Amino acid sequence: MRQNIVAGNWKMNLTYPAALALAGEITALLADAPAGALPCVVVCPPFPFLTGVGEKLPQGGPLHLGAQNCHQKESGAFTGEVSAQMLATVGCEYVILGHSERRQHFREDDELLGQKLKVALAAGLKPIFCVGESLDTREADDTFAFIAKQLKDGLFHLSNEEFAQVVIAYEPIWAIGTGKTATSAQAQEVHAFIREQVARAYTAEAAQNVSILYGGSANAQNARELFGQPDVDGGLIGGASLKAQDFVAIIRSF
Ligand code: 13P
C-alpha cells in the first residue's frame, strides 16, 4: 500500500538542546491528532542527535526516526564514519541516500550509492532515495532523460523485494533552499514519469505502491497543492522542517 510520508531533513543545523526542543514541540503539536489521521512522519536529525531525538518520539505513533546518510561498508576501520547497522540500533527506520548535496559535495556516485543502498537494506532501514535535475539540465530539456538514468543506474539494480522497501524523493536541485518551488504541475509531471519508470523496471504493482516525495522549497503555503497531485505522496522538507509550526502545518496538508 502506498503511504503518505512527510520527512524533515534537518541537514547540518541546530544544537543538541535545540534539536531536542524541536522534536518535543513537533510531538506536542501532533499529540491531539486522532490515530490514523496523519501521514507517516520521519525526522532526520544529524547523527549525534539521533538517540536523544528518538527518545522524544512516542513509540507506535506517526513519528519515525531517520538518518541523513550512512557509510557503504558494514563495519570496520573507517574513522569518523557511521554504519547502517549503528543507525538501526539507535532506532532509525529510514535513511536518506543520494541527496544532491552529497552527490555534489561528497562526490557520491551511482556505484557508491548502490553499496549504501545494499548495507542500508541489509540493516533493515528504508532508504529515501533522492533524484533530481539541475537548472542547466532542465533548461536543456533533458530532465526526463536525466531522471531516467539516475533511477536506472542508482536504484533499479535492486531486487523486487529490496525495491519494495524504498521511498523515492524527487528534489530538483534548482528548488532546494532557493525559495523556488517546482509548480505542482512540474512536480506531478516528473512524479508520474518516475512511477512509469518503476512500472517498466519492476511491476505495475510496485509502481502503485512506491511513495514518491517532493522536495525543494516546500512549505506550509504550497504543501497542500503539491500533495494534492495524484503522484505526489508527500514531501522531503529542509528549511521548513526546522520550525515546528511550519513542519506540522505541512504534515497536516493532506
Ligand atoms: P529545502 O526544503 O530547504 O529547499 O530543502 C529541501 C531538501 O533538500 C530536503 O532534503
Side-chain angles (χ1 to χ4, degrees):
M1 257 291 286
R2 202 193 302 180
Q3 225 186 353
N4 289 330
I5 301 173
V6 175
N9 176 6
W10 294 1
K11 306 192 181 181
M12 196 174 75
N13 291 299
L14 306 174
T15 59
Y16 189 48
L20 294 182
L22 177 58
E25 274 180 76
I26 294 167
T27 303
L29 287 168
L30 294 175
D32 65 348
L38 296 173
C40 167
V41 179
V42 185
V43 291
C44 304
F47 290 140
F49 307 163
L50 283 168
T51 307
V53 167
E55 283 167 4
K56 294 273 179 194
L57 312 180
Q59 293 273 317
L63 287 152
H64 302 265
L65 192 63
Q68 299 173 20
N69 181 32
C70 68
H71 193 260
Q72 64 272 23
K73 299 282 189 207
E74 274 178 28
S75 64
F78 301 101
T79 302
E81 292 295 330
V82 175
S83 76
Q85 197 185 31
M86 290 173 189
L87 299 174
T89 58
V90 296
C92 284
E93 294 174 68
Y94 292 83
V95 61
I96 299 170
L97 292 177
H99 195 283
S100 58
E101 287 153 16
R102 295 213 57 92
R103 292 179 191 260
Q104 186 188 341
H105 303 306
F106 303 94
R107 307 270 161 111
E108 295 198 356
D109 59 14
D110 293 324
E111 192 186 335
L112 181 80
L113 290 172
Q115 294 168 16
K116 291 192 177 203
L117 279 164
K118 290 281 182 188
V119 290
L121 288 161
L125 298 173
K126 296 185 176 85
I128 300 175
F129 188 80
C130 305
V131 296
E133 80 287 1
S134 67
L135 189 58
D136 283 354
T137 301
R138 178 158 282 266
E139 286 178 344
D141 259 339
D142 276 338
T143 297
F144 293 108
F146 183 82
I147 302 281
K149 187 167 164 40
Q150 277 191 322
L151 291 169
K152 181 170 172 285
D153 296 347
L155 201 53
F156 291 166
H157 54 83
L158 296 178
S159 69
N160 289 35
E161 292 70 29
E162 288 171 331
F163 183 78
Q165 300 304 312
V166 172
V167 174
I168 298 174
Y170 169 56
E171 295 208 316
I173 297 169
W174 48 270
I176 295 176
T178 58
K180 236 187 183 184
T181 324
T183 64
S184 53
Q186 282 173 324
Q188 167 57 25
E189 191 183 28
V190 178
H191 282 228
F193 175 78
I194 292 172
R195 207 176 294 286
E196 193 184 296
Q197 300 305 300
V198 173
R200 282 185 194 197
Y202 295 94
T203 61
E205 196 190 353
Q208 276 316 308
N209 287 343
V210 67
S211 298
I212 308 177
L213 315 184
Y214 170 79
S217 297
N219 58 40
Q221 284 70 47
N222 57 31
R224 191 172 297 275
E225 167 142 10
L226 285 162
F227 297 172
Q229 302 304 309
D231 289 296
V232 179
D233 307 310
L236 179 54
I237 318 297
S241 73
L242 297 170
K243 295 184 194 118
Q245 299 275 1
D246 289 2
F247 189 53
V248 167
I250 294 170
I251 293 165
R252 293 189 190 274
S253 293
F254 280 100

